[in-house]
Amino acid sequence: MKSDSDKLIAKHAQLIHSEGLTVCSHTQRDDGEWIQHLLMIDGYNVPFKFKRKSKYKSLTGAKVNMTYYADMITVAGLEFEMMKVVRIKRY
């Protein structure tokens, strides 16, 4: 039986699934009616970003499984790479 992440990856080839990642930093800020979450993962130089309706307990130091894809964001005319998280779950 396939897991949820396997089903997502089968549908969308650009998705990446990683397991057992350690969260170095987790910030949460209000963005209208949404909460913007930003994660920094040990061994990665790119931020992982996602929105949820409510705040999470801090994930700093936790191990997580994530399904995400690469994206670009433009700030003041400069492009930066970031990862958009589709699915996140504690390990």
Side-chain angles (χ1 to χ4, degrees), residues 26-39 50-59 88 90:
H26 177 209
T27 59
Q28 304 176 58
R29 63 180 173 85
D30 290 328
D31 188 14
E33 61 185 54
W34 292 88
I35 305 295
Q36 181 73 51
H37 298 264
L38 186 73
L39 302 175
F50 63 97
K51 289 183 181 181
R52 293 291 182 258
K53 287 281 189 177
S54 60
K55 287 191 172 187
Y56 275 174
K57 180 180 173 185
S58 179
L59 293 172
I88 185 167
R90 283 190 182 256

Side-chain angles (χ1 to χ4, degrees), residues 5 10 12 16-17 21 26 34 38 45-46 52 54 57 63-64 74-76 78 81-82 87-88:
S5 59
H12 307 283
I16 303 164
H17 180 72
L21 300 174
H26 177 209
W34 292 88
L38 186 73
N45 294 331
V46 179
R52 293 291 182 258
S54 60
K57 180 180 173 185
K63 289 198 177 276
V64 294
T74 304
V75 177
L78 299 172
E81 185 180 21
M82 59 170 263
R87 184 173 181 272
I88 185 167

